[in-house]
Amino acid sequence: MSRRITWADAACPIARAADVLGEPWTLLILRNATAGTTRFEDFRAQLGIADNVLTTRLTKLVDRGLLTKLPYRDGGRTRHEYRLTQAGSDALPVLHALGAWGDAHTSAADAPGPMTLVHTRCGQLTRPGAKCDACGKPLARGDLAWRGSWLGEGEIPLADPVG
């Protein structure tokens, strides 16, 4: 599905963000990358997305600087992993806000409960930001996890951005 217009040069920052994040599947790919998914076949299996659509979206996320493509060896074959960049990592508050909105205004019979952000050092719920809402300590990405998410029970640590 191709858009007829682009908002890449729009004066409005919301329009520019929508230009990067607004295509179907893009936010879900970014969500899964934030949860640590890096390999094409894992994105495909977790999302149920067609190969051609996934390839297109991953390429755009790399081109826009939200993901980076890193080679790895799989047997005798070179493949690629897709890792969050700092720009991709910085989308966490957007993903968290969308999750909170979805919890408040949509429903699903099999939803495991609200999607929350946990400061793993103190074990309490928090929001993205500089300090933990519960203990007041500085928040480092490596000390954050999602709970009550689409990927199952337990806590899912957030992936760190590369370089």
Side-chain angles (χ1 to χ4, degrees):
M1 179 166 144
S2 188
R3 236 186 288 133
R4 293 186 183 135
I5 61 170
T6 180
W7 298 310
D9 296 322
C12 175
I14 295 171
R16 292 191 310 270
D19 193 66
V20 176
L21 301 173
E23 292 183 311
W25 296 105
T26 297
L27 286 167
L28 298 179
I29 292 167
L30 196 56
R31 172 202 67 186
N32 283 34
T34 299
T37 303
T38 60
R39 297 190 175 178
F40 185 94
E41 56 273 6
D42 294 333
F43 283 111
R44 181 179 57 209
Q46 292 169 6
L47 296 171
I49 185 174
D51 286 0
N52 63 324
V53 175
L54 180 56
T55 298
T56 300
R57 295 306 184 274
L58 287 171
T59 299
K60 286 185 179 182
L61 286 167
V62 168
D63 291 347
R64 293 297 189 103
L66 279 78
L67 297 176
T68 190
K69 190 174 170 180
L70 301 172
Y72 72 94
R73 297 290 289 172
D74 183 15
R77 189 173 173 191
T78 299
R79 295 179 178 243
H80 292 91
E81 289 186 330
Y82 298 88
R83 301 285 181 113
L84 287 173
T85 63
Q86 189 61 52
S89 174
D90 287 347
L92 178 62
V94 174
L95 296 173
H96 189 70
L98 284 169
W101 186 92
D103 283 333
H105 300 289
T106 65
S107 63
D110 61 349
M115 185 175 152
T116 57
L117 190 63
V118 179
H119 182 214
T120 56
R121 294 208 177 237
C122 73
Q124 300 299 311
L125 300 182
T126 190
R127 293 170 293 174
K131 294 182 181 179
C132 176
D133 292 337
C135 71
K137 302 254 180 181
L139 287 176
R141 188 174 183 90
D143 298 333
L144 295 172
W146 275 330
R147 184 186 292 161
S149 75
W150 72 104
L151 288 175
E153 306 248 347
E155 293 178 356
I156 300 167
L158 302 186
D160 286 324
V162 295

